[in-house]
Amino acid sequence: MFKVSSNFSTVSKITISFLLLLSLFVLLVGCDKQDSLADSGKTEINDTDQTNEVEENNEGNEEVEQTSNFPLTIFDLANRQVTFEQLPERIVTVIPADMEIIYALGGEVVGRPQSSSGIVRPPEAEVAEDIGFPKGINFEKIAALQADMFIGHTRLNLDDVPTLESLGLNVVLTQGDSLEDIISLIKMYGDLLDRNLEAEALINDIENTVEEILAAKRENPVRVLVLFGTQDETMAALPQSLSGNLFELAGAENVAKDLPRLDMYPTYAQLSLERILEANPDAIYFMAHGDAKAALQQFQTQMSQNPAWNNLDAVKNENIIVLPHELFGTNPGPRIVDALQFLKDSLDSLEY
């Protein structure tokens, strides 16, 4: 029995030793596996962070794409469809009012209209290259400026579109024959320059100011004749012109409203002394692109040859007013509120 017991003890010792070694092996393998899993977990976290970062960046890019206006298709004031693939960066114009709107929205031009008065508005635009005027465009300068957008007039520059497009420019034709036109221009340039917030603020400011100016209504409208003098002739402004529109807003009645339009200048009418004498306006307002006072003197000299001219109420009461060139010699753009204020104050001060 002792031998058996002795053999059993030896086997037990070997077994126990084996089991201890096996346990130690399992323990070591388990630790390695945990370490491996831990390392794996860290990699998964890093991968997740990177994925989130990429997704956030992608979302940011998607947001930029969604807020971009381009490609952008617009209809200009000649009802022409024009598509811009990207934001215009080198703009040239022969229209002073449009240039003022662009600067009012925070933009700029590289080519500007020639100034008839020697004053450039705003002053910041004076550094831009002079490219001429609507009926005298310097195409060579425009090409040298590497312009990508040209702004012209709906009636005066329509025939120039093919030449300008051949130079690689997007051409936009505009007009400013009413307060509504100017509001539409501001909206259009807000889109083209990607400055919609600035455009909305400017429009709100103009509309609020106009409302304040026109708060007091006239009971009896002043009957006015609005004249536009050139070197060759004097025309009567119709309600369809910008000055005609402003006079109506200010509470005046245009005595030339039924005169036939001129083919060349559809917002003006041929001056008929017979019709003027018949209408007998309370006041006559005069404006010109150049020296309005000189043009008025020339006009009065012609009219004085007819004795009936001195019988007009406007002449007898000395209600002949020269309109400021900077507000009426051309479209004043955002300064239209200043033009309207001038008319309202002038009409209110008349004696007749």
Side-chain angles (χ1 to χ4, degrees):
M1 292 179 61
F2 177 80
K3 288 183 180 181
V4 174
S5 177
S6 175
N7 290 339
F8 178 78
S9 177
T10 302
V11 171
S12 297
K13 291 179 179 179
I14 294 173
T15 301
I16 291 171
S17 299
F18 174 77
L19 289 175
L20 289 173
L21 290 172
L22 181 60
S23 300
L24 181 60
F25 174 79
V26 170
L27 180 61
L28 292 174
V29 170
C31 292
D32 290 340
K33 186 175 182 180
Q34 288 179 355
D35 291 340
S36 177
L37 287 174
D39 291 339
S40 177
K42 290 180 182 178
T43 303
E44 289 174 1
I45 292 172
N46 291 336
D47 289 343
T48 302
D49 290 343
Q50 292 174 0
T51 301
N52 290 339
E53 184 177 352
V54 170
E55 289 176 353
E56 289 174 0
N57 290 336
N58 289 337
E59 288 175 0
N61 291 335
E62 290 175 0
E63 184 177 351
V64 170
E65 292 174 359
Q66 290 173 358
T67 59
S68 175
N69 287 339
F70 299 90
L72 174 68
T73 298
I74 65 163
F75 284 89
D76 65 12
L77 271 71
N79 203 32
R80 298 169 53 256
Q81 182 174 309
V82 186
T83 298
F84 290 79
E85 295 298 332
Q86 59 188 14
L87 181 78
E89 295 181 349
R90 299 187 63 79
I91 302 171
V92 296
T93 181
V94 287
I95 312 297
D98 293 60
M99 182 171 71
E100 288 198 51
I101 292 173
I102 289 171
Y103 276 86
L105 298 181
E108 62 181 13
V109 302
V110 296
R112 62 170 175 81
Q114 177 181 321
S115 174
S116 59
S117 64
I119 299 174
V120 177
R121 291 185 177 86
E124 299 92 319
E126 192 168 1
V127 297
E129 187 76 27
D130 176 351
I131 62 166
F133 46 93
K135 297 305 291 182
I137 302 171
N138 191 321
F139 295 101
E140 292 183 358
K141 282 188 177 180
I142 292 175
L145 288 170
Q146 298 182 329
D148 55 18
M149 175 181 172
F150 174 89
I151 303 166
H153 193 273
T154 55
R155 295 183 291 272
L156 301 179
N157 296 119
L158 187 59
D159 293 339
D160 298 315
V161 171
T163 302
L164 291 161
E165 289 182 337
S166 70
L167 297 175
L169 284 80
N170 271 334
V171 180
V172 174
L173 301 181
T174 71
Q175 63 188 33
D177 294 336
S178 65
L179 173 63
E180 183 180 354
D181 278 353
I182 292 176
I183 295 297
S184 297
L185 285 176
I186 295 172
K187 288 180 179 178
M188 183 186 74
Y189 288 122
D191 290 334
L192 283 176
L193 301 178
D194 209 6
R195 295 179 180 270
N196 303 91
L197 293 179
E198 291 86 347
E200 183 179 350
L202 180 57
I203 290 171
N204 287 339
D205 185 49
I206 290 175
E207 291 178 338
N208 291 337
T209 304
V210 168
E211 186 176 354
E212 292 175 3
I213 294 172
L214 304 181
K217 301 292 183 181
R218 301 186 62 87
E219 294 184 4
N220 299 313
V222 181
R223 302 173 69 253
V224 302
L225 173 66
V226 186
L227 300 178
F228 183 82
T230 68
Q231 294 179 348
D232 303 320
E233 62 179 330
T234 301
M235 303 174 287
L238 296 172
Q240 293 82 6
S241 67
L242 178 59
S243 57
N245 175 249
L246 292 179
F247 269 101
E248 285 197 338
L249 288 174
E253 178 186 345
N254 191 335
V255 300
K257 60 184 177 182
D258 296 325
L259 294 179
R261 302 182 182 187
L262 290 168
D263 291 336
M264 183 76 73
Y265 305 101
T267 59
Y268 292 88
Q270 177 120 28
L271 189 63
S272 168
L273 180 58
E274 181 180 352
R275 292 289 296 272
I276 295 172
L277 295 174
E278 180 183 349
N280 192 20
D282 300 316
I284 297 174
Y285 286 83
F286 201 91
M287 58 185 173
H289 275 316
D291 188 342
K293 290 183 178 180
L296 175 59
Q297 289 177 355
Q298 179 182 353
F299 168 73
Q300 287 179 306
T301 300
Q302 294 174 351
M303 293 299 100
S304 63
Q305 296 175 5
N306 187 325
W309 172 255
N310 293 319
N311 293 327
L312 288 175
D313 287 342
V315 176
K316 289 189 294 185
N317 294 322
E318 299 183 350
N319 286 335
I320 300 180
I321 299 99
V322 175
L323 294 170
H325 175 271
E326 65 272 14
L327 295 178
F328 296 94
T330 185
N331 178 349
R335 292 179 293 117
I336 191 171
V337 292
D338 298 330
L340 185 59
Q341 184 69 67
F342 178 92
L343 293 186
K344 189 69 167 54
D345 292 343
S346 176
L347 291 170
D348 289 345
S349 65
L350 288 177
E351 294 183 5
Y352 55 95

